[in-house]
Amino acid sequence: MPEPVKQYNTAVEATLEVIGGKWKPVILFFLTFGKKRNGELARLLPSITQKVLTQQLKELERDGIIQRIVYNEMPPRVEYELTPYGDSLKEILHAMCRWGDVHVQRTYGEQAQIVAHDRLSQHEKNI
C-alpha cells in the first residue's frame, strides 16, 4: 500500500490548514450571513489591510470555500459568498463565536466588548 501524499496528526490540523489564521475564520463568519462585497468586508474588518484581505479571499476561493461573483456591470461589481462546501463550515464558525462570547465574558466580564456584534447589527440595518 503506498504512503499517503499528505499526513496530518489530527483532522483539526487539516481544518486549520484551510481556515486557520487571524483573518480567514472572521471573513468566513461574516460570509455566513450572506454575500459581501470587498468594501463591506473591509468595513467589517477595519484592522485588515486591503492586501491581506485580497490574499485571504484568493486563498479561500482557491480552496473552494468561497466563490467570487463578478457582475457584468459598469462600474464592475464583485461579491463573495460561501460555496456549498464552505457553507458546511457554518456550524463550526457559529460555535466558535458562541464559545468566544462565553470566554470573553468569563475572562474579562464588562471590561471587554465584541465589536462585531455592533458591526453586524449595523450591517443588517443597512441591508
Side-chain angles (χ1 to χ4, degrees):
M1 181 180 228
E3 282 290 313
V5 176
K6 184 93 172 177
Q7 199 169 31
Y8 297 97
N9 294 309
T10 70
V12 172
E13 186 180 352
T15 303
L16 291 176
E17 183 176 77
V18 177
I19 68 163
K22 180 176 181 177
W23 297 112
K24 284 182 185 177
V26 181
I27 292 166
L28 292 170
F29 174 75
F30 285 125
L31 290 176
T32 66
F33 296 98
K35 294 177 187 174
K36 302 280 181 287
R37 295 177 75 171
N38 188 294
E40 289 177 280
L41 289 168
R43 280 189 297 282
L44 289 165
L45 302 162
S47 300
I48 195 170
T49 65
Q50 185 57 55
K51 178 183 175 184
V52 171
L53 177 58
T54 300
Q55 176 187 15
Q56 300 294 280
L57 290 168
K58 282 181 181 178
E59 289 175 12
L60 289 166
E61 184 181 11
R62 178 200 66 211
D63 291 334
I65 305 300
I66 66 170
Q67 63 183 354
R68 182 176 186 262
I69 305 160
V70 180
Y71 296 92
N72 190 17
E73 301 174 349
M74 277 311 211
R77 178 169 56 113
V78 176
E79 293 180 328
Y80 295 91
E81 71 177 348
L82 295 175
T83 62
Y85 184 52
D87 200 52
S88 68
L89 291 166
K90 269 186 183 180
E91 285 182 46
I92 295 167
L93 295 162
H94 287 267
M96 288 172 65
C97 186
R98 288 189 300 274
W99 188 90
D101 284 337
V102 171
H103 173 71
V104 167
Q105 183 62 40
R106 180 177 185 259
T107 305
Y108 303 104
E110 299 301 317
Q111 301 302 309
Q113 70 176 29
I114 297 176
V115 180
H117 291 169
D118 299 330
R119 286 195 189 119
L120 278 174
S121 297
Q122 185 62 38
H123 178 74
E124 297 302 317
K125 289 177 190 173
N126 294 334
I127 291 180

